[in-house]
Amino acid sequence: MDLYEHQARELLQENGVLVPRAEVVDTAEAARAAAERLGGRVVIKAQVKTGGRGKAGGVKLADDPAAAERTAHRILGMDIKGHTVHRVMVAEPVEVEREMYLGFTLDRAAGRFAAIASAEGGMEIEEIAARRPEAVARIAIDPAEGVTEAKAAEIAVAGGLPPETAGTIRRLWTVLTAHDALLVEINPLVVTRDGAIVALDGKVTLDDNARFRQPSWDDFGDRARDPLEARAAAAGLGYVKLDGQVGVIGNGAGLVMSTLDVVAGCGARPADFLDIGGGASAQVMADGLSLVLDDPEVRSVLVNVFGGITACDAVADGIVRALDTVPLTKPLVVRLDGNNAARGRAILGQLAHPLVHQADTMDGAAARAAELAA
């Protein structure tokens, strides 16, 4: 479960990380009142769970309460990558001397967490790592040891952060472990002109599997969930919204993860992770396809199914059923293999829909979906 920025900053603040004073409002008039309480000059920040808010015009500086009201009025209701802005955060501005990046993330391949630190912040860390990988330090964390004072100092040195950030590094690790997070990051982490270490923006992803031991998560409710993720949860689908253009549907988490990798290897970015399960019915397939097609970021959809408990003809029936009720306006690439694959392919062949493409292999299907999304 991803949190909104204002929810992430609450966790940071509760664990001793310095954040600017701020209020969250849902009307332009309330933004003006908040600006008056915060000293007049404020930053208005759209509260949506996607990156690129600044480039989209969702983060603006307002010089006085009247400007805060006008700015909030423009941002509220804005569409940012398919996310409608319903709330804005009105935050106290900070005099920044230096911007940095700090985060902890789950390294699934290594079976442990990793610290990521960089002396450069305020940009997408992926962009920095792609252009100059030497500028981003990645340090493995022994789960039995955690982040000690010595480890925090090691992370600071490796990332080129000042020694004064060691305390913030340890507190950020506490956020991760105490709240069962898969990702916590501060970007940018700044040094202010008076020498304070302050988190200007935070991102937190919680592990849904730990919900049973985190009763406080109920306070977040579906306010923290992407609307498509909330809809998927209500339908009992294993869905995670990603920041890409190729919708991915498969049966089984391993197959879906492999499909995401193959899509990425073809130069495209997956728009989601959707696992319809090993025994999914035609109705589940129809529900999943309808969900992915409703994502405005999706440019093509890839259905990759290996028929086992879920027979391929049932999957094909589900696709046909979905297209009876949902207009197909985006290319759909289908790869069926395994139990009743020939029958499933025949069903889709009889459909003869101009936007439905079939492929024999996963590599071929991913390449075709990436091509159609370009």
Side-chain angles (χ1 to χ4, degrees), residues 31-357:
R32 180 179 188 135
E36 291 172 349
R37 289 189 291 270
L38 292 170
R41 191 167 185 261
V42 294
V43 180
I44 309 296
K45 307 179 75 175
Q47 295 301 285
V48 289
K49 295 192 304 173
T50 186
R53 291 178 300 168
K55 294 178 182 177
V59 179
K60 294 291 185 181
L61 181 66
D63 288 328
D64 53 52
E69 181 176 5
R70 292 193 300 271
T71 302
H73 180 74
R74 287 195 297 269
I75 294 177
L76 287 166
M78 178 184 291
D79 182 278
I80 301 178
K81 295 184 178 180
H83 299 259
T84 302
V85 181
H86 298 293
R87 291 180 297 277
V88 295
M89 186 167 71
V90 183
E92 185 179 48
V94 173
E95 296 294 329
V96 176
E97 187 71 29
R98 178 181 177 187
E99 293 187 346
M100 305 162 290
Y101 175 93
L102 175 65
F104 290 100
T105 187
L106 177 62
D107 186 339
R108 296 184 184 276
R112 60 179 58 193
F113 284 93
I116 301 175
S118 175
E120 301 179 34
M123 298 173 58
E124 292 288 344
I125 195 66
E126 294 87 354
E127 294 179 11
I128 300 174
R131 292 201 318 270
R132 291 182 298 104
E134 72 280 1
V136 180
R138 187 181 182 94
I139 303 93
I141 307 297
D142 184 341
E145 179 183 358
V147 177
T148 61
E149 289 185 11
K151 178 60 77 170
E154 177 190 342
I155 293 169
V157 170
L161 311 185
E164 295 79 14
T165 60
T168 299
I169 292 171
R170 295 194 70 191
R171 287 187 279 272
L172 190 63
W173 174 253
T174 299
V175 173
L176 181 104
T177 55
H179 297 280
D180 283 305
L182 297 172
L183 167 72
V184 293
E185 71 173 18
I186 301 172
N187 187 29
L189 176 68
V190 305
V191 180
T192 65
R193 290 186 179 175
D194 59 5
I197 308 296
V198 179
L200 287 197
D201 197 351
K203 181 177 181 180
V204 174
T205 300
L206 305 175
D207 184 355
D208 279 331
N209 293 311
R211 184 181 289 273
F212 72 96
R213 63 184 177 204
Q214 295 285 356
S216 65
W217 290 4
D218 292 337
D219 296 336
F220 296 132
D222 282 339
R223 293 183 301 116
R225 192 186 290 269
D226 179 273
L228 290 173
E229 291 183 355
R231 179 174 151 193
L237 296 171
Y239 174 88
V240 178
K241 179 77 172 73
L242 302 175
D243 189 13
Q245 297 77 40
V246 178
V248 176
I249 303 174
N251 61 327
L255 180 60
V256 179
M257 291 296 292
S258 298
T259 306
L260 298 183
D261 290 340
V262 175
V263 168
C266 292
R269 298 180 67 180
D272 63 76
F273 170 106
L274 177 52
D275 175 13
I276 62 173
S281 65
Q283 183 59 53
V284 170
M285 182 66 239
D287 291 343
L289 184 57
S290 299
L291 181 77
V292 173
L293 289 172
D294 282 345
D295 182 350
E297 295 298 305
V298 168
R299 298 178 186 170
S300 69
V301 181
L302 169 56
V303 175
N304 185 24
V305 169
F306 185 83
I309 300 174
T310 303
C312 291
D313 55 339
V315 172
D317 284 336
I319 293 173
V320 172
R321 183 182 302 180
L323 298 184
D324 284 340
T325 57
V326 180
L328 184 60
T329 58
K330 304 165 185 177
L332 173 64
V333 181
V334 183
R335 178 256 183 169
L336 301 176
D337 197 7
N339 186 16
N340 287 350
R343 189 180 305 171
R345 295 189 196 109
I347 290 171
L348 294 180
Q350 291 170 4
L351 179 64
H353 196 293
L355 289 177
V356 176
H357 308 259

Side-chain angles (χ1 to χ4, degrees), residues 262 266 302 333 335 358-371:
V262 175
C266 292
L302 169 56
V333 181
R335 178 256 183 169
Q358 296 199 60
D360 295 332
T361 66
M362 181 165 66
D363 288 345
R368 183 60 173 151
E371 176 187 356

